[in-house]
Each structure stands twice: as C-alpha cells, then as structure tokens.
Amino acid sequence: MRILFYLLPLQAMSLSKNPFQETLSHNIAQSAISILEEQNFRNIPFDAALRRRAKQKQMDQEEHRGLQELLLAVTRHQYRIDWRLKKAGLDCTPENRVITALGTGFIPSIKDFNLDDDSIAVLYPWVQEVVNFSPILEVDEMGLQTRLECPDWAWCGLSNVFSSNNELAIQARALQEPAPLDLRVNTLKCKTRDTALNEIRKAGFDAMPTPWSPIGIRLNQRVPLGKIPGLLTGVVEPQDEGSQLVTALVDAKPGEKVADYCAGTGGKTLQISAQMENKGRLFSLDVDANRLERGKPRCSKAGVSNIQRQTVQADMTRKDKWCKRQKRTFDRVLVDAPCSGVGSWRRKPDARRTWSGSTDGNKIDEQNGKIRLESLLQLQQQILRRASRLAKPGGRLVYVTCSLLPEENEQQIQQFLGCDEGASWKVDPPSDFYVPFEACDGRFLRLTPAQHNTDGFFAAVLSRDQT
C-alpha cells in the first residue's frame, strides 16, 4: 500500500486548488511520513529532521512551509488521531496518522491539504470508516487526557497544579495552539523598543509590543527570520516573552559578577549582558563545550563582550574544581535548569512523545517517561545545590524551568530550602514586577499560554543571608 502511495502521480493524488497549494510538491505527504518514521526510531525533534529533509529534497520556501504545517498538525493532534485509529481497529503508524490528518477533514488548519476523495477511497478505504464513526475528531467517548494531548508522565503533575478539570482543560488547550513569534530588543544596540518596532513595521510586518516584557516585540504570523529588520545585525533576537520575563528577574547590574548556569547557546546570557550594559563579568556555564561554542556568533552579532565561557562537570557525583574555586563569589546566579519542557509544547508539540521515547517505533513508552522524569528531578536538585554555592552572602539566585509540573518547580525549591545547603536561603519575590507573582500564595512566578500568552515558565527568586 505504501509503495502505491509513494508512486501515485500528482494528477491522481491532487491537492486543493488554493494558490498556496498549487506550489506544493507531491512528495509532501511522503516526506511527512518519512520524517515521523525517522523520529520514531531515532527519537529526534521533527524540526531537525525537517531541515535535513528539506535540504535533501531541495524544497522551496512554500514546500518547506507546507511540510512544516502538516507535521505540526499531525503532532498537535496525535493522541486524538491515535484514539480514532484504534477505535477503527487500525495500527497507529506514521502513515496512518498522516493519511487520517489529510483525508478526514478533522483538522481545520490543513483542510486545504486534503487529498482527492477518489484517491483516498481507492488507496485507503479505511479512512471512510474513521469518518463514519464521527465527522469530528473529538467524541464523547474520548477521555479528557486524550483530548488534552497529555502523556501519562505529565498528567498527574498538571492535574495537581491546575486543580479543577475546567482550569486544566483551559491551560492544556492553550498548549495545543501555535505560538506567536516573539523578539527581544537588544538594548546594547537599540535603546528603545519603539525604534526597532517602527523599523519592523516599515518593512510591512504586523508587529506589536509584547504585553508584559518592556523589551519584547510580537509578530503573530510566521515569517522568514532573515527578512525581519534588525535580526541579522543583532538589534533583535528571537526569544519568547516568557523567557524574557524570567531572565529579567536576574536584574543584573553593571560591574557585577554573574553566572548563567546551564546556559546552552546563551539566549538568556545575551539578555543578562544587556542588563549589565556589557560591564562586569558574566560567566556562561554548561556541561557541553560545543553548545557554549555555538553561542559565540550570537554574542558577536549582539555586540556582547563581557562573557566568559566555562565548561562545568556533568557528573554530579564528582566535585567541580572550577565551581569550588568560585564558591561564594557571584552577585547573581541564574539556574536555567534542564526540564521536561512541558511549557514549550506550543512550539514543540512532538516533545510530548519524543521526550518519553518509543519502544517499537509506534507506541509511546509512557513508563520510560516516568522513569526519565524521576531521574531529571534528582538532577535538577543537584544542579540547584551546586549552583547555589556560587552565590556570595546577600546574593540572588533565580531558578527557572520551562515546565509547569510542580515536582520540577515549587517542590524543588521546597526540597532545597529544607536541606543543609538551603538553610541560608529564603524565597524573596520582587515587590514590583511586570507580571504578578501569584503561584503558591505569591511566592513564585508561573507563566502559562492561557493566562499570559507566553510559553509555560516557572521562576523562583531566592536571596542568601548576609552572613
């Protein structure tokens, strides 16, 4: 069956005659299936597989966009599509998922992609059976967890943080929606947001100030990044508004000594450097030297010159000599902890599955997700304790995740404060911030797509005793 599908000529398997669709290549559905199959066995993010596939097939911009939209549609609806396939007695394979998405009309965002009905009937007669059960994707029999596209390993945590089913549904539905494109204005190169915003608007883009971050710009449509004025010159940098807000909590001052622990390629590091006006010492710390090196071009483009990169020990059972030498010397420490990424599901809908891994190429390994989460929780606590030693008396530590699960967030802070190393620390939320601290009786900041239209983030601000 798959060979027939792959070799079916464009005339027999036609796409709708919408101007956008007329530019699409006949291999888009095939490419989507291939990428999802590769993802099953190699467990890689589909955006990486998409870039490679687009390069191999020499896709133009419209073909690349069409393939991306199809992949996003399938992955945002995968739990519900799988439920419908199982109900029809069918296997949950990448091919069946793609054909269900294309051939049923269940997903409004890709209705223009629908295949010719006659072609579907010949090659995939089972599609009509799926539609006959119900012409809409969600049905009464479908459980809430399936409707909300939530894996087992995250369900308990989300249910605990959002206590009612109504609130849980609102928050989880928002995680199913596409995210806007947010930019951060680099104040080292552009003193006011309005200046950068006006340039972007002059170029014909529908842009507006972000509602919370004073240095953010939002574009509600997906556009080629290279065409945005100021992006290639470092005036603006892609960064979700939520990420801008939690980084703002560091509130670093010129001349201070600051650490970004788990810095990666340095998106938040660049924002901290701008807070410091490029003055002082800013250390970008990560276990991966290659990731740190990949951040160098971004620093150069942004005009940043006060960053020092340092690889830290990955094995938390071993002492880190550099961290030991730097103990109690930093004014401020940002801990951008590795996390499950639940808060980024808008941008990475496939992470619901890839984070868990798969065992047989198709089934989601929920048990592995739970095991991985338990291991991650231990690592987060170890990182928090190690990073806390860097702060000097009176110093500030900001603990951040892009997760909404309480076990990665407030429970980690509670555990830290209850241990010996946390005895000299206290929760110290700012009295005046761009967004109210409302989580846990005002002790912490929790950002959500439903409430703030940002990615999901958690932040805790801690201060160390003066002694």
Side-chain angles (χ1 to χ4, degrees):
M1 184 70 76
R2 183 174 300 161
I3 293 174
L4 290 174
F5 173 68
Y6 282 2
L7 299 181
L8 190 67
L10 183 59
Q11 291 82 358
M13 184 178 149
S14 61
L15 297 169
S16 65
K17 299 304 181 182
N18 148 316
F20 169 67
Q21 290 300 326
E22 287 178 356
T23 69
L24 296 179
S25 164
H26 68 281
N27 69 353
I28 282 184
Q30 173 188 346
S31 294
I33 292 169
S34 297
I35 286 173
L36 293 174
E37 286 177 336
E38 179 184 15
Q39 194 181 48
N40 275 347
F41 292 101
R42 295 185 59 199
N43 209 39
I44 60 173
F46 84 66
D47 52 357
L50 171 61
R51 287 193 297 269
R52 183 166 60 252
R53 184 79 179 185
K55 185 175 181 180
Q56 289 173 346
K57 296 295 182 179
Q58 297 182 323
M59 291 182 175
D60 61 29
Q61 182 177 314
E62 294 302 320
E63 289 175 321
H64 185 278
R65 176 184 163 196
L67 177 56
Q68 183 181 45
E69 291 295 333
L70 178 54
L71 286 166
L72 286 170
V74 173
T75 53
R76 284 196 177 110
H77 298 80
Q78 181 168 316
Y79 283 78
R80 288 167 286 177
I81 289 174
D82 284 1
W83 191 95
R84 294 297 297 268
L85 287 170
K86 291 174 183 176
K87 192 71 176 177
L90 297 162
D91 292 332
C92 301
T93 64
E95 182 178 17
N96 287 351
R97 289 167 180 148
V98 170
I99 296 305
T100 300
L102 286 170
T104 59
F106 285 159
I107 305 174
S109 66
I110 58 167
K111 279 190 174 179
D112 287 339
F113 286 65
N114 285 354
L115 307 181
D116 179 78
D117 290 341
D118 293 335
S119 303
I120 287 287
V122 172
L123 287 173
Y124 302 96
W126 54 262
V127 170
Q128 192 58 46
E129 296 178 26
V130 175
V131 175
N132 286 343
F133 180 78
S134 173
I136 59 174
L137 181 59
E138 292 188 15
V139 295
D140 292 340
E141 296 177 43
M142 200 177 281
L144 182 62
Q145 183 178 347
T146 301
R147 292 175 185 233
L148 300 182
E149 297 281 326
C150 186
D152 286 349
W153 56 265
W155 181 246
C156 182
L158 288 176
S159 299
N160 287 335
V161 78
F162 304 118
S163 54
S164 71
N165 281 347
N166 183 58
E167 184 184 10
L168 173 60
I170 291 171
Q171 296 291 345
R173 290 288 190 191
L175 285 167
Q176 296 173 1
E177 297 300 318
L181 171 60
D182 291 345
L183 307 171
R184 176 182 57 81
V185 176
N186 177 12
T187 54
L188 293 176
K189 288 196 168 186
C190 183
K191 295 302 180 184
T192 68
R193 171 170 61 183
D194 286 346
T195 301
L197 180 59
N198 290 337
E199 290 300 313
I200 292 171
R201 285 173 170 170
K202 285 178 185 178
F205 294 102
D206 181 16
M208 64 191 73
T210 49
W212 306 101
S213 170
I215 53 173
I217 294 173
R218 174 162 294 164
L219 285 76
N220 285 311
Q221 75 274 37
R222 185 177 291 113
V223 299
L225 293 179
K227 293 185 178 181
I228 299 174
L231 193 136
L232 296 180
T233 56
V235 174
V236 293
E237 174 89 7
Q239 187 176 353
D240 178 76
E241 184 183 21
S243 176
Q244 297 176 35
L245 289 167
V246 296
T247 308
L249 290 169
V250 177
D251 196 24
K253 309 299 184 186
E256 289 186 331
K257 184 178 180 181
V258 182
D260 182 358
Y261 204 103
C262 305
T265 57
K268 293 182 179 69
T269 314
L270 297 180
Q271 183 178 341
I272 295 171
S273 179
Q275 293 174 8
M276 301 171 70
E277 300 176 11
N278 229 354
K279 301 172 184 176
R281 291 181 292 169
L282 175 54
F283 289 82
S284 183
L285 311 177
D286 201 274
V287 299
D288 189 332
N290 290 329
R291 273 202 298 262
L292 291 173
E293 283 298 310
R294 290 198 299 272
K296 281 186 175 181
R298 298 176 73 183
C299 290
S300 178
K301 184 176 69 172
V304 169
S305 58
N306 68 329
I307 292 178
Q308 300 180 46
R309 295 168 187 83
Q310 177 65 44
T311 306
V312 292
Q313 177 63 249
D315 185 352
M316 301 304 291
T317 64
R318 300 175 60 185
K319 293 183 179 180
D320 188 296
K321 294 181 180 179
W322 185 88
C323 288
K324 186 177 181 180
R325 290 196 301 269
Q326 299 292 327
K327 184 177 179 180
R328 299 168 72 90
T329 64
F330 283 82
D331 296 284
R332 299 168 195 266
V333 178
L334 170 64
V335 179
D336 190 10
C339 67
S340 63
V342 169
S344 65
W345 281 353
R346 295 193 305 173
R347 301 180 191 278
K348 302 173 183 177
D350 57 321
R352 292 173 168 89
R353 178 174 58 83
T354 57
W355 197 81
S356 293
S358 56
T359 52
D360 67 357
N362 291 316
K363 293 182 180 179
I364 298 171
D365 187 355
E366 297 285 11
Q367 187 58 36
N368 188 60
K370 295 176 182 179
I371 294 171
R372 187 178 178 192
L373 181 59
E374 286 299 320
S375 177
L376 177 65
L377 296 177
Q378 182 180 1
L379 177 62
Q380 288 172 339
Q381 188 63 209
Q382 291 170 331
I383 288 173
L384 176 54
R385 295 184 186 192
R386 176 167 288 180
S388 72
R389 299 171 196 148
L390 295 174
K392 68 183 185 182
R396 170 179 289 192
L397 183 146
V398 180
Y399 175 84
V400 169
T401 74
C402 57
S403 175
L404 297 174
L405 304 183
E407 53 265 49
E408 297 185 77
N409 298 332
E410 54 263 42
Q411 291 176 19
Q412 290 286 21
I413 300 301
Q414 292 163 4
Q415 182 180 345
F416 171 69
L417 294 176
C419 74
D420 290 341
E421 289 178 89
S424 62
W425 290 89
K426 66 178 180 179
V427 177
D428 190 16
S431 57
D432 184 25
F433 191 59
Y434 309 113
V435 184
F437 275 53
E438 296 176 335
C440 301
D441 298 322
R443 286 160 56 85
F444 307 120
L445 177 66
R446 181 178 287 114
L447 303 172
T448 73
Q451 186 175 356
H452 306 97
N453 198 19
T454 66
D455 286 351
F457 279 95
F458 170 88
V461 180
L462 308 178
S463 62
R464 192 168 204 165
D465 293 345
Q466 290 287 349
T467 55

